[in-house]
Amino acid sequence: MPFFLILGINRGDRWGEFGEKDYANRLCLAIDQDRRGIVMFEPDMVPGTTFQIMHRSMDLEYIQPRVEKAFARLGDRTPVFAMYINCAGRAAGYAGFDQDDAVMIQETVGKRVPLLGIYSGVEIAPVKNRPQALDWTGVFSLFSVEKEKD
């Protein structure tokens, strides 16, 4: 099934240490049997693009600490709203998994702030400090305001 083929484009140092934040993953949309090739979802994979074959993982243990870190970074600010944009391919029912990472986000954010969740076809987040269209990702954003002074 083409959906399970993921290719990663490293935007960082090709020979350096692995850095998760350096990668933009790309999903395969279809198999072109006549031309013996693959059809990619994003248009940035052109002839000559260097990529790595990536392995899908649904290890959800990283989610809660990262969300807690986002809340902790607010310092004196008051959180007012959270948003989670998740790749539709990561939805448990669609991807064939028993667990859904969106549920982990809901449980971790709890009743602290209103939470809007969206499944999308493409997510946008920084890769090497530049906005990048991504596939197979979840992007959590936490919005805050300055605390009111007494």
Side-chain angles (χ1 to χ4, degrees), residues 67-143:
V67 171
E68 293 297 344
K69 185 177 178 181
F71 275 94
R73 281 194 313 237
L74 293 178
D76 290 337
R77 297 182 65 82
T78 301
V80 293
F81 175 72
M83 181 167 60
Y84 187 59
I85 303 172
N86 197 14
C87 177
R90 290 166 52 123
Y94 188 70
F97 292 116
D98 293 332
Q99 298 177 317
D100 196 318
D101 60 335
V103 172
M104 294 294 291
I105 295 290
Q106 290 171 333
E107 291 173 356
T108 305
V109 171
K111 297 182 182 195
R112 294 191 263 189
V113 294
L115 171 66
L116 172 66
I118 301 169
Y119 283 110
S120 69
V122 175
E123 305 75 50
I124 299 173
V127 176
K128 298 305 286 181
N129 297 319
R130 294 187 55 213
Q132 174 77 59
L134 301 172
D135 302 330
W136 189 250
T137 57
V139 178
F140 178 75
S141 299
L142 185 58
F143 299 85

Side-chain angles (χ1 to χ4, degrees), residues 20 22 32-33 36 49 60 67 72 77 79 102 108 125 135 141 145:
E20 176 182 305
D22 293 338
D32 184 339
Q33 292 182 356
R36 303 182 75 183
T49 300
L60 305 180
V67 171
R77 297 182 65 82
T108 305
D135 302 330
S141 299
V145 296

Side-chain angles (χ1 to χ4, degrees), residues 5 37 40 47 49 52-53 57 67 72 108 111 145-146:
L5 176 60
M40 299 305 293
T49 300
Q52 293 173 261
I53 297 174
S57 171
V67 171
T108 305
K111 297 182 182 195
V145 296
E146 288 185 21

